[in-house]
Amino acid sequence: MKDGIDFINDVLGTGPQKGHMNFGQLGFAPFTKSPCVHKITNLSDEDMFCINVEVHDTPPLVQEAALDLPHHTLKMTQYNCRVYSLTLEPGEKVDVTYAFFYVCVIVRGGKVKVAHAKGKGLSWEENHKVGESLWKDPCADMQLTNMGKETYEAYICEYR
């Protein structure tokens, strides 16, 4: 998907609109109380992969300030959503507290070890593939370590 894809997004009630997106590009629409009904038509010869996440209301726990953590880059803030890129090179680790509900979208997959940041309690390894989307609850004092041989990247989509 070197040059991105062209598409038509036909949203019920608003009509078709042409669009263009590149791999990993983010797009938003405001929260609504009812499901969004739409059809996306790929106008390119390239394969298209699209993840839509609908959140219809503010979650019970939100964080006022944006995250300020190592290996996290704020990609976009719009409406009631902030998206961060979490990037870990092989062997890198980061301690995280996400005081919000979120969706984790895998941009570059790999193997990640999840453990308590202070070395207590459980730990496990997760294998992730590009395009996975995982609904996650808030977490505190967790350590993420890239156990793979390639860069691991995930979008952390915080809903407020």
Side-chain angles (χ1 to χ4, degrees):
M1 208 166 89
K2 181 180 168 194
D3 297 319
I5 59 159
D6 294 312
F7 61 90
I8 295 175
N9 188 9
D10 191 357
V11 180
L12 184 67
T14 63
Q17 295 184 359
K18 281 191 171 185
H20 180 87
M21 292 194 99
N22 295 309
F23 179 79
Q25 186 173 336
L26 304 166
F28 289 93
F31 285 174
T32 61
K33 295 291 181 185
S34 59
C36 174
V37 178
H38 66 123
K39 176 175 77 173
I40 299 175
T41 304
N42 183 0
L43 300 176
S44 318
D45 293 332
E46 299 285 333
D47 289 338
M48 180 176 152
F49 185 76
C50 177
I51 298 172
N52 284 338
V53 176
E54 289 190 40
V55 178
H56 298 281
D57 210 348
T58 301
L61 179 65
V62 295
Q63 179 171 296
E64 287 301 316
L67 283 178
D68 184 17
L69 293 173
H71 304 285
H72 289 72
T73 304
L74 181 62
K75 299 281 290 178
M76 185 181 284
T77 299
Q78 194 163 352
Y79 306 111
N80 291 336
C81 183
R82 283 192 283 242
V83 178
Y84 309 90
S85 173
L86 163 63
T87 305
L88 294 172
E89 297 300 327
E92 284 186 327
K93 59 179 76 173
V94 64
D95 293 351
V96 301
T97 293
Y98 297 142
F100 48 79
F101 292 88
Y102 62 103
V103 174
C104 178
V105 178
I106 308 303
V107 180
R108 289 187 274 176
K111 184 187 290 188
V112 176
K113 180 180 177 184
V114 181
H116 192 275
K118 298 184 180 16
K120 301 176 184 177
L122 301 172
S123 69
W124 62 92
E125 290 185 358
E126 298 177 348
N127 289 299
H128 295 290
K129 294 187 169 124
V130 172
E132 286 181 23
S133 55
L134 312 154
W135 287 89
K136 297 280 195 167
D137 291 333
C139 65
D141 299 322
M142 296 299 293
Q143 185 174 80
L144 306 174
T145 305
N146 181 353
M147 305 299 287
K149 296 180 182 188
E150 303 288 332
T151 302
Y152 171 82
E153 184 179 10
Y155 286 166
I156 307 299
C157 306
E158 169 194 1
Y159 295 95
R160 315 182 283 123

